Amino acid sequence: AQTVTQSQPEMSVQEAETVTLSCTYDTSESDYYLFWYKQPPSRQMILVIRQEAYKQQNATENRFSVNFQKAAKSFSLKISDSQLGDAAMYFCAYQQGGSEKLVFGKGTKLTVNP
Amino acid sequence: SAVISQKPSRDICQRGTSLTIQCQVDSQVTMMFWYRQQPGQSLTLIATANQGSEATYESGFVIDKFPISRPNLTFSTLTVSNMSPEDSSIYLCSGLRGSGEQFFGPGTRLTVL
């Protein structure tokens, strides 16, 4: 079974600085998707960014970008120019191609210090 | 963008009782799911809600404990039956768009005494 590991239970960053959240996954499949979701204290899960495994180019969404290392099965999230509103739990998730099920990591709690 | 609402947003229940959680999507989705998020934990998929037929449950979850209905494309319910304190969790529903994006409702925080 596929597993997703987030080795950093908590991270903190100063406002306007850059932070990187780590995620590794285990799969024998070649067709899959990876996601980062944000869950603020309001509990609403919000999709931050999505990466298709077949794409070599790293996905970016404004201040959010990923470093996708397929051979290493690593999928880290970089948040640039951190803002107070970025404070949340961040979950890395895996989806096998052809399946709609998401497998989540345990999450990383990000604190942004003013 | 599509919106998912859930009712109730939170509830406190006595052990042995049941609670039904409703999930409404404001536009059609191809699939709907129910997740459980235990305190301080990640999300675990309970089941896929199938329109007009029995839900597909993940390992460790059974229909008698978590009956699910999906009478149409935009509405689903999850019932937590014969509750115990171990069922205290956040329950989230999600919908899958044709684009492949899965988006989530705000969750229902359940406390069982």
Side-chain angles (χ1 to χ4, degrees):
Chain A
Q2 291 83 9
T3 58
V4 177
T5 302
Q6 294 180 248
S7 59
Q8 307 154 316
E10 297 187 26
M11 291 282 284
S12 63
V13 63
Q14 290 296 124
E15 196 174 4
E17 298 291 306
T18 295
V19 64
T20 298
L21 308 184
S22 300
C23 173
T24 59
Y25 58 95
D26 184 24
T27 184
S28 58
E29 303 293 330
S30 59
D31 178 23
Y32 54 88
Y33 302 85
L34 297 164
F35 305 85
W36 279 98
Y37 279 88
K38 169 185 177 181
Q39 187 180 41
S42 66
R43 301 199 308 264
Q44 185 87 48
M45 293 280 286
I46 302 165
L47 177 64
V48 175
I49 202 163
R50 165 183 167 152
Q51 175 80 44
E52 293 87 346
Y54 63 85
K55 289 187 177 179
Q56 293 185 340
Q57 186 173 6
N58 290 324
T60 62
E61 285 289 340
N62 301 314
R63 297 182 295 107
F64 298 87
S65 61
V66 299
N67 183 4
F68 175 46
Q69 301 290 326
K70 190 171 185 178
K73 297 180 182 176
S74 171
F75 183 61
S76 60
L77 175 70
K78 185 172 81 171
I79 305 173
S80 304
D81 185 26
S82 297
Q83 301 176 359
L84 295 177
D86 295 334
M89 283 291 291
Y90 285 82
F91 292 97
C92 179
Y94 167 97
Q95 180 185 66
Q96 183 175 319
S99 170
E100 295 75 23
K101 299 177 186 178
L102 290 172
V103 177
F104 285 88
K106 291 185 179 296
T108 297
K109 182 179 180 181
L110 178 66
T111 301
V112 181
N113 300 310
Chain B
S1 59
V3 173
I4 295 185
S5 60
Q6 285 184 233
K7 290 194 296 186
S9 61
R10 60 176 62 223
D11 207 342
I12 301 173
C13 301
Q14 297 297 319
R15 68 171 66 210
T17 63
S18 298
L19 176 72
T20 296
I21 303 168
Q22 298 179 6
C23 178
Q24 178 75 54
V25 188
D26 69 350
S27 60
Q28 288 189 357
V29 293
T30 57
M31 301 183 76
M32 294 181 73
F33 305 91
W34 287 97
Y35 290 83
R36 181 174 72 182
Q37 186 177 22
Q38 294 177 302
Q41 301 298 313
S42 186
L43 283 74
T44 301
L45 180 63
I46 297 172
T48 303
N50 299 311
Q51 185 197 359
S53 64
E54 189 173 293
T56 304
Y57 290 85
E58 297 300 305
S59 175
F61 297 96
V62 295
I63 187 171
D64 290 346
K65 177 66 175 177
F66 298 101
I68 289 170
S69 77
R70 188 182 174 194
N72 57 55
L73 286 173
T74 61
F75 183 78
S76 179
T77 66
L78 167 74
T79 298
V80 186
S81 303
N82 188 24
M83 289 183 285
S84 67
E86 291 71 33
D87 295 320
S88 297
S89 292
I90 296 171
Y91 292 86
L92 300 101
C93 70
S94 72
L96 183 71
R97 292 197 184 109
S99 64
E101 178 185 344
Q102 194 167 146
F103 59 104
F104 289 79
T108 296
R109 183 182 294 275
L110 171 62
T111 302
V112 184
L113 303 178

